Amino acid sequence: MFRRAATLFAALALAVGGLAGAAVTAPATASADSCYTWDRTLQRGASGSDVAQLQIRVAGWVGYGETLAIDGQYGPATEAAVQRFQSGYGLAADGVAGPQTYDRIYALQDADCTPIHFSHSEFNDNCGANNYYGGKVSAGTARENIRRVMWQLEALRHKLGDRPLVVTSGFRSESCNAAVGGSSTSLHMYGRAADLGLASGPTQCQMWSSARSAGFEEILGPGYPNHNDHVHVGNKSTRFWRAPNC
């Protein structure tokens, strides 16, 4: 209701300004959101925490083999990711983040800043502990790392025809990771990985293949040891893609 009212107010301001012959500057965004609200148009050359918030939400809209740095700098890579996001949702793909782009993001996120198709309860089972404690990083850092993974998965889900992606493992404490036989260097202990199970709508090979254009540097699937019942996606600094059966 608030969004609609704000939109009508902006339209009225523009109409009145036109009639009066005075220059009226429209607000950078016509809506407000319970999670996060952008209050200016962003484009190449901009910087700040609002750019970083945007980068988190378009991190899955990169090119093949690319990753997007969450550095608060609106450079060519961010511009390209915004363009792909805009194109993916039928918006004018100009690479400038303005009202239409923000409204699309607002429609995609819940009040806790997670994307609408994913929630913390899917990622923080932690062998039944339902928290982000006991890993290689603080609980707050693990939670933020997972939020980026969620937004990458939201992009992946949309690219795969909006078919459900079922998360079978997210964050793991060190003890949980050991209990399930995870690698001693597992990204799960940092909140930087997720496993997508066989109940997902797309096939394993479809998920593995498309994840290469969703910003993930670690992607493991069918044919890789112990990965025949899921696809593992993760964020790391070096690329490691393996799925011999795909």
Side-chain angles (χ1 to χ4, degrees), residues 6 41 61 68 78 90 102 104 117 155 160 193-194 221 224:
T41 294
W61 290 93
L68 185 64
T78 299
Y102 298 144
R104 182 66 259 180
H117 295 109
L160 289 168
Y224 187 77

Side-chain angles (χ1 to χ4, degrees), residues 177-216:
N177 187 66
V180 299
S183 165
S184 61
T185 60
S186 175
L187 294 176
H188 287 281
M189 294 184 289
Y190 297 84
R192 299 207 306 258
D195 292 344
L196 307 175
L198 297 178
S200 299
T203 67
Q204 284 180 281
C205 288
Q206 287 173 331
M207 292 188 289
W208 182 85
S209 179
S210 292
R212 296 177 295 176
S213 297
F216 293 110

Side-chain angles (χ1 to χ4, degrees), residues 148-170:
R148 172 179 173 142
V149 171
M150 287 187 193
W151 280 101
Q152 289 172 261
L153 291 177
E154 184 70 29
L156 178 62
R157 186 185 191 279
H158 190 61
K159 293 174 185 180
L160 289 168
D162 286 315
R163 288 175 288 173
L165 299 180
V166 178
V167 177
T168 57
S169 184

Side-chain angles (χ1 to χ4, degrees), residues 61-79:
W61 290 93
V62 293
Y64 179 90
E66 297 177 350
T67 59
L68 185 64
I70 312 300
D71 58 5
Q73 301 297 317
Y74 205 117
T78 299
E79 182 180 64

Side-chain angles (χ1 to χ4, degrees), residues 4-27 30:
R4 288 196 293 272
T7 301
L8 290 172
F9 178 82
L12 179 60
L14 286 172
V16 171
L19 291 173
V24 176
T25 301

Side-chain angles (χ1 to χ4, degrees), residues 54-55 61 94 149 170 225 236 242:
L54 176 65
Q55 289 170 327
W61 290 93
D94 57 7
V149 171
K236 59 188 300 186
R242 298 289 187 276

